Amino acid sequence: ILAEIQFMARQGVIRVKPVQDDQNEVLGSSDFPAGWIAYGFRVPPGAKLHVRLHHTNEGWFRLMMVNKWGRLEEGMLQNLIPTGNPEVKYTNPTKEARNVYVIVDDPGWMSTEANPFKLVVTRSWDPAKVPMDQPLVQGIWAEKKEDPAAPKTEVPKEPVPETAKG
């Protein structure tokens, strides 16, 4: 995937879905046929970000975190040690706000609009108290705009067992 990102960056930019600073959950599915999609986050100085993926087939997924140039940097190196879960963490070691990008790798195309994955976002700061005006799309990344006419993906409801139906 990183080689594909490098190739795409040389031909222009890579689309990323910005995640709002106060958004704690994101529903999505990977782009077809690529099998991956990227999300952008802003992190204030000294703050920590944790992103965990949930899905019925979560063993098929992998999360990667990169900087604005598609590379690892200080603060995200702990992601090289597998935890057994599709998750990534970032600690901003600088004295300025940083942008980080989380790539959801879905090589088996397990996520669809009907069966989306869910990203749970945990921040060590209160976004209402730490406003950031830094543009999210930088380096090789460009904003992936949502189509307002497209149907919104909702969290699927758990099926009701036949014995519980009245």
Side-chain angles (χ1 to χ4, degrees), residues 106-128:
D106 181 8
W109 301 305
M110 294 291 166
S111 61
T112 62
E113 285 190 23
N115 188 19
F117 57 77
K118 177 170 70 170
L119 295 178
V120 176
V121 181
T122 307
R123 296 172 176 88
S124 68
W125 71 98
D126 181 356

Side-chain angles (χ1 to χ4, degrees), residues 73-120:
E73 67 177 38
E74 185 180 3
M76 55 181 74
L77 298 177
Q78 69 274 9
N79 297 322
L80 296 175
I81 301 168
T83 65
N85 297 312
E87 64 183 336
V88 287
K89 297 177 184 178
Y90 178 68
T91 302
N92 186 348
T94 70
K95 295 184 183 193
E96 60 187 37
R98 302 289 290 188
N99 293 340
V100 295
Y101 304 90
V102 174
I103 300 167
V104 177
D105 182 19
D106 181 8
W109 301 305
M110 294 291 166
S111 61
T112 62
E113 285 190 23
N115 188 19
F117 57 77
K118 177 170 70 170
L119 295 178
V120 176

Side-chain angles (χ1 to χ4, degrees), residues 105-162:
D105 182 19
D106 181 8
W109 301 305
M110 294 291 166
S111 61
T112 62
E113 285 190 23
N115 188 19
F117 57 77
K118 177 170 70 170
L119 295 178
V120 176
V121 181
T122 307
R123 296 172 176 88
S124 68
W125 71 98
D126 181 356
K129 295 180 181 175
V130 185
M132 288 180 281
D133 57 358
Q134 168 180 343
L136 186 59
V137 290
Q138 295 181 336
I140 62 173
W141 305 96
E143 184 174 356
K144 180 176 183 177
K145 303 211 185 238
E146 294 295 322
D147 179 6
K152 300 291 181 205
T153 306
E154 296 182 17
V155 177
K157 296 189 176 7
E158 293 293 321
V160 179
E162 289 296 322

